[in-house]
Amino acid sequence: MPLPDPLSMAREEQLLELAHDLAALFARWSDAAEAQGGLPPEVVAGLKASRYPALTVPRSLGGLGASLHEFALAQEVLGRADTSMALVAAMNAHLLGGLGEHGGWPHEVYAQLCQASAQHGALSNSLASESELGSPSRGGLPRTRAERVEGGWRLTGRKTWATGARALDFYVVSATTPEDTVWRFVVAAGSPGVRIEDTWDGALALRGSGSHDVVFEEVFVPGELAVPPAPVSPTSGAWFWTAVAATYLGTGQGALDRLVLYARERVPTALGQPISTLPRIQATVGEMSLTLLQARALLHTVTRAWADPQRRAELLPALAGAKLACTNAAVHVTDLALRAAGGAALGRSLDLERRFRDARAGLMHPPADDQALRRLGEALLTDP
């Protein structure tokens, strides 16, 4: 067995320190984000100043060059503090990390986004979802249209579920051209013709993410910021799946942390001692811990192995399975936390009801459970 690399361990510690500092900011403002339906200005400013937007930017472009495993470690830390704000940070990180690994974009366009994140803390997100289209992972052409004009393109359409809409500096918009091909366009926030509609207010989950609709009305995009279709890497979803898996794993861990604290402090008069002494509570906490340990072990095993480029294609089904395991673990663990805490969990003081709601959103991110299971089964049933 190879010995741990001291340099790699020191680097992980540095990245985790960065994540913990940002998580502390998220935790302080989580109630405000939930109430406001988006990131407060103080959080946006803190996130952009934190260097986290440079986490997955290649070192050659001024970033921190985090690996897939390091990204998973950092995102779990953020998810423990607040799921909504962690996902806003994750969207920029997975986009830049994934493109840096599998390519497919003109270097000049990719470098512009990376340098903006590394130098100014700029945040980007890929806007692909539409109400008529459903999940882009299921196929279909976007209703958003792009028409060629002098010097570039004219973009018209609406995108849904734009995580962190008002905190973003750039939208990466998928749109259909007259030839029925799908291009991607980098649109600066605040460009003429871009507006945000408040469609996320009162959402069941992730209220603090501000995932409103973004509308594009004849928005001009310079030709140099248009990305033509390119062959899709079979591993292109890896960074998004990891972002989702790690963030919701953190959501579940945060619920466990809070329940443990509550169980140690809660002393009913009829009991005369903390409820942490009750066998039922101990067994529930044990089940929660085991559920999270199992999901974490799978995620970490796959993301560590991802460092070997030759193994990535064979690891992809397991990474889809890790997304399923982590999101379902979060759902199960937050449910157990509510049951264990009882009526006190229905209020906001324990921060369990929000985690219970937020965890359910993890099931909606691709790959859906049926797709993840099919990938795993197909990998085993296909002739070698």
Side-chain angles (χ1 to χ4, degrees):
M1 179 182 296
L3 295 175
D5 181 356
L7 291 178
S8 297
M9 294 176 64
R11 173 180 165 77
E12 280 188 10
E13 290 177 1
Q14 291 175 349
L15 295 179
L16 285 174
E17 183 178 358
L18 168 64
H20 279 292
D21 288 345
L22 186 57
L25 174 71
F26 286 177
R28 287 197 301 273
W29 289 93
S30 59
D31 288 341
E34 176 92 353
Q36 296 175 20
L39 274 65
E42 294 85 352
V43 174
V44 177
L47 171 56
K48 292 183 178 182
S50 70
R51 287 285 286 165
Y52 201 89
L55 180 72
T56 59
V57 171
R59 297 187 202 183
S60 61
L61 294 173
L64 301 176
S67 67
L68 190 70
H69 180 59
E70 292 167 338
F71 175 43
L73 294 175
Q75 275 302 134
E76 182 182 349
V77 171
L78 297 189
R80 289 173 77 167
D82 184 90
T83 314
S84 291
M85 291 186 274
L87 284 174
V88 174
M91 293 303 105
N92 179 76
H94 93 77
L95 174 66
L96 300 182
L99 288 173
E101 181 176 278
H102 57 74
W105 276 32
H107 177 74
E108 295 77 11
V109 186
Y110 175 62
Q112 182 172 330
L113 283 185
C114 285
Q115 289 165 355
S117 289
Q119 297 171 13
H120 309 294
L123 298 173
S124 304
N125 192 1
S126 179
L127 307 191
S129 296
E130 299 179 0
S131 57
E132 295 90 351
L133 180 63
S135 172
S137 66
R138 299 284 188 174
L141 293 175
R143 285 287 186 90
T144 301
R145 307 292 299 185
E147 303 286 340
R148 288 183 175 85
V149 295
E150 184 177 354
W153 298 77
R154 194 75 67 185
L155 201 64
T156 300
R158 173 189 291 264
K159 294 297 182 179
T160 58
W161 305 318
T163 304
R166 287 197 168 85
L168 300 176
D169 298 282
F170 297 100
Y171 308 113
V172 178
V173 184
S174 57
T176 304
T177 69
E179 296 79 23
D180 283 342
T181 57
V182 179
W183 287 50
R184 302 178 84 182
F185 301 88
V186 178
V187 180
S191 296
V194 176
R195 60 184 171 85
I196 297 172
E197 288 194 1
D198 292 346
T199 54
W200 198 246
D201 296 342
L204 172 66
L206 307 178
R207 293 175 184 171
S209 69
S211 301
H212 303 293
D213 287 10
V214 182
V215 180
F216 302 88
E217 296 177 337
E218 297 189 353
V219 176
F220 175 73
V221 182
E224 61 269 20
L225 295 179
V227 180
V232 178
S233 167
T235 61
S236 61
W239 286 76
F240 179 77
W241 298 355
T242 300
V244 171
T247 299
Y248 287 96
L249 183 64
T251 302
Q253 184 64 51
L256 174 57
D257 295 342
R258 190 65 187 88
L259 178 62
V260 167
L261 181 62
Y262 175 71
R264 289 171 176 169
E265 295 176 342
R266 171 66 171 153
V267 182
T269 55
L271 183 62
Q273 56 187 336
I275 63 171
S276 60
T277 62
L278 295 174
R280 179 181 66 84
I281 298 297
Q282 293 169 351
T284 298
V285 167
E287 182 179 353
M288 293 168 66
S289 178
L290 180 59
T291 300
L292 294 170
L293 284 170
Q294 290 170 330
R296 184 178 295 111
L298 175 56
L299 178 63
H300 288 191
T301 297
V302 179
T303 55
R304 281 196 185 99
W306 198 262
D308 181 358
Q310 302 302 317
R311 296 191 59 195
R312 287 173 184 166
E314 70 178 68
L315 289 168
L316 199 63
L319 190 55
K323 182 270 174 183
L324 181 155
C326 289
T327 52
N328 280 273
V331 169
H332 183 53
V333 163
T334 55
D335 180 66
L336 289 176
L338 250 66
R339 293 170 185 262
L346 300 181
R348 294 184 178 180
S349 61
L350 292 187
D351 192 30
L352 289 178
E353 61 87 22
R354 174 165 59 216
R355 292 182 181 277
F356 176 83
R357 290 186 288 103
D358 285 348
R360 270 86 193 138
L363 304 176
M364 312 305 170
H365 299 291
D369 286 0
D370 66 313
Q371 290 180 308
L373 293 172
R374 182 188 60 79
R375 282 178 175 272
L376 285 164
E378 184 180 34
L380 290 172
L381 295 169
T382 301
D383 291 335

